[in-house]
């Protein structure tokens, strides 16, 4: 239950830009940090921002297209399908309950986790909403451009929407900017490619900072024992290696 709650979606994550956003991140970072401190989750699992430009385009598309009798029925069917897909994705991304306007609804996460224990990060169902909103936003932009008669104005609006949306959704983790991938620490350069390593501190996977800890592992590509025996804090194999002061380590 603790893991389900920790790795559940948060409503603000759908409406606030990521702290890694170059323009708006410094304004939203405190909200994210408070949530991460309370739940023990990590920023990766809360990367669910939909974008207000995207939401506006989707809303405009839904309102305008419903009043257009000449639109093919297949377009309206696809529109309804993607709205349903987004709704289901958001609903499933909350665990074990979701609160809407003071009403608390139970989600199937608890049952699914019992049947399929590997399903524990339910915030990832929010990706269904991100996928569904892309075609809905495209349809919204199309019906808006259709109302603009001059092709030059259509081009200007399309370029502006694309530019603003890109800036709004642009999120680059600071770690990927600061690391010089051309220079590994010298110890890694002296090892044979077939070497198996253990990196310290030996952080378990449920440690939030452990998500970004395996930095040099991603760059050096050495086999790392942390990957295979670091999943649980009290595993015997891990306890033998976690403390370098123990003779058995």
């Amino acid at each position: 239950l603790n893991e389900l709650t920790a790795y559940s979606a948060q409503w603000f994550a759908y409406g606030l830009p990521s702290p890694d956003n170059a323009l708006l991140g410094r304004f939203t970072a405190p909200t994210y940090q408070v949530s991460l401190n309370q739940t023990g989750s990590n920023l990766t699992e809360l990367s669910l921002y939909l974008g207000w430009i995207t939401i506006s385009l989707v809303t405009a598309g839904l309102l305008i297209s419903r009043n257009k009798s000449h639109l093919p029925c297949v377009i309206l069917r696809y529109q309804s399908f993607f709205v349903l897909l987004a709704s289901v994705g958001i609903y499933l991304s909350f665990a074990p309950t979701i609160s809407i306007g003071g009403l608390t609804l139970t989600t199937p996460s608890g049952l699914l986790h019992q049947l399929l224990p590997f399903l524990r990060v339910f915030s990832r169902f929010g990706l269904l909403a991100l996928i569904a909103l892309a075609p809905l936003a495209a349809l919204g932009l199309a019906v808006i451009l259709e109302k603009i008669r001059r092709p030059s104005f259509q081009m200007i609006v399309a370029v502006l929407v694309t530019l603003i949306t890109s800036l709004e959704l642009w999120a680059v983790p600071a770690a990927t900017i600061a690391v010089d991938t051309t220079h590994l620490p010298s110890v890694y350069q002296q090892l044979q490619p077939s070497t198996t390593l253990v990196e310290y501190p030996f952080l378990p996977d449920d440690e939030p900072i452990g998500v970004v800890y395996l930095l040099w592992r991603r760059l050096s590509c050495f086999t790392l024992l942390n990957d295979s025996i670091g999943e649980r804090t009290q595993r015997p194999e891990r306890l033998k290696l976690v403390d370098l002061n123990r003779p058995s380590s």
Side-chain angles (χ1 to χ4, degrees):
L1 182 59
N2 290 336
E3 284 190 343
L4 295 182
T5 303
Y7 299 122
S8 168
Q10 304 292 330
W11 277 114
F12 70 82
Y14 286 108
L16 291 182
S18 168
D20 292 328
N21 184 280
L23 298 178
L24 304 172
R26 63 180 181 273
F27 302 109
T28 62
T31 301
Y32 278 89
Q33 192 58 53
V34 168
S35 176
L36 295 178
N37 292 339
Q38 292 176 343
T39 64
S41 184
N42 58 76
L43 185 57
T44 301
E45 308 305 346
L46 288 183
S47 300
L48 300 170
Y49 180 53
L50 301 176
W52 285 105
I53 301 299
T54 303
I55 295 173
S56 299
L57 290 174
V58 171
T59 303
L62 293 174
L63 294 176
I64 297 174
S65 62
R66 295 299 171 179
N67 296 324
K68 284 183 170 292
S69 57
H70 68 277
L71 279 179
C73 290
V74 66
I75 296 295
L76 298 179
R77 292 196 189 103
Y78 277 124
Q79 201 175 44
S80 300
F81 167 76
F82 285 118
V83 169
L84 178 62
L85 181 63
S87 302
V88 170
I90 291 175
Y91 169 66
L92 291 177
S93 70
F94 288 86
T97 60
I98 179 174
S99 297
I100 304 176
L103 178 64
T104 299
L105 302 175
T106 300
T107 65
S109 58
L111 177 60
L112 288 175
H113 184 60
Q114 291 181 4
L115 297 176
L116 305 171
F118 58 84
L119 288 178
R120 62 186 183 89
V121 187
F122 281 83
S123 62
R124 296 176 186 176
F125 280 102
L127 296 176
L128 293 176
L130 301 178
I131 294 171
L133 260 61
L136 290 174
L139 179 60
L141 180 59
V143 296
I144 290 175
L145 294 178
E146 188 180 19
K147 288 184 169 294
I148 302 175
R149 298 185 180 278
R150 297 182 61 177
S152 58
F153 286 175
Q154 290 180 337
M155 180 63 69
I156 292 174
V157 171
V159 170
L160 285 176
V161 168
T162 302
L163 179 60
I164 296 174
T165 302
S166 299
L167 291 175
E168 183 186 28
L169 298 177
W170 181 35
V172 180
T176 62
I177 297 175
V179 173
D180 181 1
T181 60
T182 62
H183 297 88
L184 288 172
S186 59
V187 64
Y188 288 91
Q189 300 175 12
Q190 299 170 10
L191 298 173
Q192 296 296 322
S194 59
T195 304
T196 299
L197 304 178
V198 176
E199 288 190 345
Y200 292 86
F202 203 140
L203 299 176
D205 288 353
D206 54 3
E207 174 71 27
I209 197 174
V211 176
V212 294
Y213 168 68
L214 302 180
L215 176 61
W216 291 117
R217 163 67 177 85
R218 293 194 289 268
L219 299 179
S220 66
C221 298
F222 286 107
T223 301
L224 202 61
L225 280 179
N226 302 58
D227 293 344
S228 59
I229 63 175
E231 296 180 358
R232 291 292 180 266
T233 304
Q234 299 301 320
R235 287 188 62 175
E237 300 92 338
R238 182 181 182 278
L239 293 176
K240 291 179 180 179
L241 295 171
V242 70
D243 187 359
L244 288 175
N245 293 321
R246 295 178 56 179
S248 58
S249 297

